[in-house]
């Protein structure tokens, strides 16, 4: 097993930060939704935050396996105010698209460096991003379709509470 390049290690460490930052963003969205009385949606977002923490752990374990050093960096303060539940899920979708772009760049780097072990590990994340984008997109579309009436938001809140 060949050693990873410092550039590749740095990019994975920065992604660990980004995954933890994602968790923080989703927890902030969850807190906002709780405050709006949308407990089901808040629960959905809290689960999402948990997944992001698992992603961070997956990257950390990968670095350990490759004998590389994990370095945790500072995460930014997340937004606290959103434009209602539709605004929250639109932001979440935008964020997932941003994360997909980051993973693509990491894959590009892994291929440039002929680091096929890292490319193989990243493939899981690319598949995961398909799910992440589509689940956020589905909720955005539902909220648009339902038109944001109180009754429809109430029903969707119930549905998302099942996650
Ligand atoms: Fe993630
Ligand atoms: Fe995600």
């Amino acid at each position: 097993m060949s050693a990873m390049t410092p550039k590749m290690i740095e990019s994975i460490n920065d992604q660990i930060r980004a995954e933890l930052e994602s968790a923080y963003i989703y927890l902030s969205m969850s807190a906002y939704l709780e405050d709006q009385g949308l407990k089901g949606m808040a629960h959905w977002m809290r689960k999402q935050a948990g997944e992001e923490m698992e992603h961070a752990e997956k990257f950390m374990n990968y670095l350990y396996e490759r004998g590389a050093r994990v370095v945790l960096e500072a995460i930014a303060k997340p937004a606290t105010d959103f434009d209602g539940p539709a605004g929250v899920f639109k932001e979440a979708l935008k964020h997932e698209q941003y994360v997909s772009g980051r993973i693509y760049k990491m894959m590009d780097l892994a291929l440039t460096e002929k680091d096929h072990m890292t490319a193989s590990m990243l493939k899981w994340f690319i598949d995961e991003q398909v799910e992440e984008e589509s689940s956020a997109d589905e909720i955005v579309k539902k909220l648009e379709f339902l038109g944001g009436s109180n009754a429809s938001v109430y029903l969707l809140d119930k549905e998302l509470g099942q996650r």
Side-chain angles (χ1 to χ4, degrees):
M1 185 161 70
S2 54
M4 298 172 78
T5 65
K7 217 171 152 186
M8 194 75 250
I9 295 170
E10 197 190 312
S11 107
I12 294 178
N13 270 317
D14 194 50
Q15 189 58 25
I16 292 168
R17 178 198 58 75
E19 297 291 349
L20 292 171
E21 202 164 274
S22 299
Y24 221 39
I25 290 168
Y26 292 148
L27 281 177
S28 188
M29 289 176 172
S30 179
Y32 168 83
L33 292 163
E34 283 277 353
D35 191 56
Q36 303 280 305
L38 297 166
K39 288 201 165 288
M41 292 184 185
H43 165 83
W44 191 97
M45 264 313 163
R46 207 154 48 236
K47 283 247 163 159
Q48 193 57 36
E51 280 205 3
E52 301 303 350
M53 286 187 259
E54 281 174 23
H55 293 166
E57 219 180 307
K58 213 172 163 79
F59 279 118
M60 289 165 101
N61 286 332
Y62 178 72
L63 285 185
Y64 296 144
E65 273 182 342
R66 298 290 311 268
R69 181 79 164 91
V70 167
V71 179
L72 297 179
E73 301 289 351
I75 54 178
K77 182 182 192 293
T80 48
D81 269 306
F82 302 92
D83 193 13
V88 167
F89 286 97
K90 261 185 221 159
E91 285 289 317
L93 174 60
K94 240 171 65 189
H95 184 71
E96 287 302 332
Q97 288 163 341
Y98 159 75
V99 171
S100 298
R102 291 185 59 99
I103 308 269
Y104 288 174
K105 279 198 189 125
M106 293 170 77
M107 181 61 106
D108 290 344
L109 180 64
L111 295 177
T112 306
E113 305 211 338
K114 299 194 183 339
D115 185 344
H116 295 288
M117 288 178 177
T118 300
S120 174
M121 178 275 293
L122 287 171
K123 194 182 165 294
W124 183 90
F125 279 95
I126 291 175
D127 294 342
E128 174 74 1
Q129 282 311 114
V130 176
E131 296 261 321
E132 295 274 88
E133 283 192 32
S134 92
S135 60
D137 187 53
E138 203 183 302
I139 299 167
V140 167
K141 291 221 170 84
K142 270 186 190 167
L143 281 162
E144 274 168 6
F145 173 76
L146 296 167
S149 75
N150 286 344
S152 64
V153 170
Y154 173 80
L155 283 174
L156 189 59
D157 185 60
K158 276 204 153 200
E159 185 188 318
L160 296 181
Q162 305 298 312
R163 181 178 182 180

